[in-house]
Amino acid sequence: MTLPLLYTFRRCPYAIRARLAIAASGVAVREHEVVLRDKPAAMLAISPKGTVPVLQLPDGTVLEQSLVIMRWALASADPLDWLPGPAIMDDTEALIARNDSEFKHWLDRYKYPERHPERPQAAYRDETGIILADLDARIARHGQLVADRATLADAAIVPFVRQFAAVDAEWFAQSSYPALQSWLAGWLASPLLQAVMAKPVPAA
Ligand SMILES: N[C@@H](CCC(=O)N[C@@H](CS)C(=O)NCC(=O)O)C(=O)O
């Protein structure tokens, strides 16, 4: 049986969220670990925009956005009940939209200050303060971002918070977001995130 083929990159937060949803669904896929500076011709042939993740289904359908891949996986099977019901749908969409626009914008500048020398690195970090405080308050209130259990929103956002926290782990550890810190620690320790972050076996 031919399995869907996922073009992925281990540390890419978009690819991580796709792998998380695939792992949560239990749907089997093959993975192709991409070298971003040398993308495979077969991937560019089906998805010329050249970003990962990309998922090619056995019928030839190509899914080229991480959120589309997440929803496809969870529509196939959702044993952990990650797909948001109507009560949390608006919150889920708003949180992910803010993450993928505003938070990602400041994260890129905080992570690569040398590419954005107009402002000091800490200024970029400070721009995320309102978002971090909101995430922290949500987790303190609900347990996870939008509910008392992990859902699509958590899986879609945690790879970006992981990346943010790693820029300056000492700063993150002493920051005033205790609920966010323990939420991230819980995810990092979870078998699901650990499984999707396992180092890929180099191709022979
Ligand atoms: N909107 C896309 C964004 C994916 C994306 O930007 N991925 C980055 C890696 S994290 C990428 O492939 N960049 C192309 C490159 O670096 O050449 C999605 O949600 O899948």
Side-chain angles (χ1 to χ4, degrees):
M1 186 187 71
T2 315
L3 294 175
L5 174 60
L6 180 72
Y7 291 95
T8 180
F9 176 62
R10 180 175 173 272
R11 286 181 290 112
C12 166
Y14 299 99
I16 295 170
R17 64 159 56 143
R19 299 199 304 272
L20 273 175
I22 289 168
S25 73
V27 171
V29 303
R30 283 179 297 147
E31 289 190 13
H32 183 135
E33 178 74 7
V34 168
V35 177
L36 289 177
R37 61 174 184 285
D38 184 20
K39 293 166 191 155
M43 180 185 109
L44 293 173
I46 58 165
S47 182
K49 73 177 176 26
T51 64
V52 291
V54 172
L55 185 70
Q56 183 174 29
L57 301 181
D59 71 0
T61 305
V62 176
L63 309 181
E64 23 177 21
Q65 291 295 333
S66 55
L67 289 170
V68 175
I69 297 171
M70 291 185 88
R71 290 188 180 279
W72 167 84
L74 297 170
S76 309
D78 187 15
L80 303 180
D81 200 15
W82 275 14
L83 275 177
I88 58 168
M89 183 70 80
D90 287 354
D91 256 13
T92 299
E93 284 177 1
L95 281 183
I96 295 175
R98 184 184 63 182
N99 178 80
D100 289 12
S101 54
E102 201 183 340
F103 189 69
K104 171 75 167 118
H105 174 89
W106 297 120
L107 169 60
D108 285 346
R109 282 153 183 77
Y110 177 43
K111 188 164 157 51
Y112 301 109
E114 65 287 355
R115 296 181 196 167
H116 306 276
E118 321 72 78
R119 296 174 69 183
Q121 183 183 26
Y124 297 126
R125 184 179 66 207
D126 291 349
E127 293 283 359
T128 64
I130 291 174
I131 296 178
L132 296 177
D134 176 60
L135 297 178
D136 186 69
R138 288 173 161 280
I139 295 159
R141 192 180 329 134
H142 300 298
Q144 294 281 322
L145 284 175
V146 293
D148 60 3
R149 62 173 207 288
T151 63
L152 181 76
D154 302 279
I157 290 172
V158 74
F160 295 83
V161 177
R162 170 187 174 275
Q163 204 173 65
F164 177 91
V167 174
D168 184 346
E170 252 178 62
W171 178 88
F172 189 75
Q174 61 75 58
S175 67
S176 51
Y177 309 114
L180 187 65
Q181 288 158 355
S182 49
W183 172 83
L184 178 63
W187 273 91
L188 292 177
S190 70
L192 210 54
L193 190 54
Q194 295 207 350
V196 308
M197 292 310 294
K199 293 248 163 66
V201 181

